[in-house]
Amino acid sequence: MRRRKPANTITPGTVHSRTRLSPVMLGAVVMAAGMVIGALAAISISAIVTASAQATTAPLAFAQNTTGETTSPEIADADPAGVQRPPIVSRAEWKAKPAKTSLMRRQTPREIIIHHTSVRQQPKISLERKMRGLQGFSMRPGKVGRRKKPAWGDGPYHFYIGVSGRIAEGRDIRYAGDTNTKYNTKNRIQVVLEGQFDRERPNRRQLTALRQLTRWLAVTYDISADALSSHNDHASTNCPGKHLKAYLPTLRAAIAN
């Protein structure tokens, strides 16, 4: 049965000649409408943020991304040991350029190498912008310190952990990283943390992300705890800095357990 509409109900878009609102009543209606609009806006923003977070944590895949290049191999969110893949910002999300694979060497990951960027942390610059800057610098000839470097096929690292603790996907893990020091990068996963860790310390969010990432990589690629090392274990350099180097025993223990 249809309910009868009260005589004084105001229908949007309809003029009622017999209904007059006092200034007080009109103000109340306007205030209520404002509250409804505000609530709807908040719901929409929440939905957008949630959708963005879900997109960021989507599994990486062997597929053509929006730049037309192949991304890292697809891996399940959880392995048989129950180690979860941490959220990783994909190359498509930070708008990477296609890699020049002709300048890169194929590899089979067997070790993990830890680095620092050797530049002080810059929290006001987004992770995505840093990744684009690093890739641009890497793919053209230049200098690292006083040493000249050739144009590399892509950024030198496979994963980058920013000051906020967010992890970004770098070079395709199927290709060896690049270095301006004298050691063989083949069959090694290169992980870098943002910071100059002889002068500053990695923060809690970075260390948590590093632990989660290295545990996941170790299980995924069957890498033992003693196959995790630092850059200066293989070359004459201060990388990854004394304050990050001191954390490596904790990482090895996390992998072993």
Side-chain angles (χ1 to χ4, degrees):
M1 179 181 293
R2 296 180 60 185
R3 298 177 59 186
R4 295 184 61 189
K5 184 170 58 180
N8 289 332
T9 299
I10 299 176
T11 303
T14 304
V15 176
H16 291 258
S17 60
R18 289 182 292 179
T19 302
R20 295 180 181 275
L21 295 178
S22 69
V24 174
M25 292 176 65
L26 181 60
V29 171
V30 172
M31 182 179 295
M35 292 173 66
V36 171
I37 293 171
L40 291 174
I43 292 170
S44 299
I45 292 170
S46 176
I48 292 170
V49 171
T50 301
S52 299
Q54 291 172 344
T56 300
T57 58
L60 304 177
F62 271 135
Q64 294 296 314
N65 63 25
T66 56
T67 64
E69 62 181 314
T70 304
T71 64
S72 295
E74 181 174 2
I75 300 170
D77 284 348
D79 62 85
V83 176
Q84 296 290 326
R85 182 183 71 84
I88 298 172
V89 179
S90 71
R91 292 174 63 89
E93 288 173 306
W94 60 261
K95 296 180 174 58
K97 295 178 180 179
K100 296 180 180 179
T101 55
S102 61
L103 301 177
M104 296 155 61
R105 297 177 297 160
R106 284 273 185 171
Q107 71 166 8
T108 301
R110 296 193 180 100
E111 300 179 38
I112 300 172
I113 310 294
I114 305 301
H115 303 261
H116 70 172
T117 59
S118 196
V119 176
R120 281 191 174 273
Q121 297 174 342
Q122 301 180 67
K124 294 184 179 180
I125 300 176
S126 71
L127 177 65
E128 290 80 0
R129 181 179 170 189
K130 289 170 186 171
M131 292 302 295
R132 290 192 295 270
L134 175 61
Q135 187 188 45
F137 168 78
S138 300
M139 295 181 72
R140 60 179 181 265
K143 284 187 176 182
V144 178
R146 297 180 180 178
R147 298 176 181 175
K148 291 183 179 181
K149 63 166 282 299
W152 294 330
D154 203 350
Y157 311 110
H158 298 104
F159 297 96
Y160 183 111
I161 300 177
V163 63
S164 67
R166 295 172 70 209
I167 305 169
E169 175 191 13
R171 179 177 296 220
D172 189 324
I173 208 166
R174 296 170 300 172
Y175 292 91
D178 275 303
T179 181
N180 217 39
T181 58
K182 296 181 179 180
Y183 84 104
N184 186 4
T185 62
K186 190 172 182 180
N187 299 333
R188 289 163 166 165
I189 301 173
Q190 311 291 336
V191 178
V192 66
L193 272 71
E194 179 186 344
Q196 214 301 351
F197 297 128
D198 278 327
R199 300 178 182 177
E200 57 189 340
R201 296 177 182 273
N203 63 49
R204 179 181 55 81
R205 290 172 296 183
Q206 287 181 300
L207 294 179
T208 297
L210 179 61
R211 184 174 66 254
Q212 293 172 343
L213 176 64
T214 52
R215 287 193 70 215
W216 172 69
L217 290 171
V219 171
T220 301
Y221 294 99
D222 194 23
I223 297 172
S224 63
D226 59 5
L228 182 144
S229 58
S230 64
H231 187 180
N232 60 9
D233 288 326
H234 307 278
S236 178
T237 174
N238 70 337
C239 180
K242 61 185 179 183
H243 297 305
L244 180 53
K245 176 91 170 182
Y247 189 68
L248 263 61
T250 301
L251 284 181
R252 293 191 186 100
I255 290 173
N257 294 330

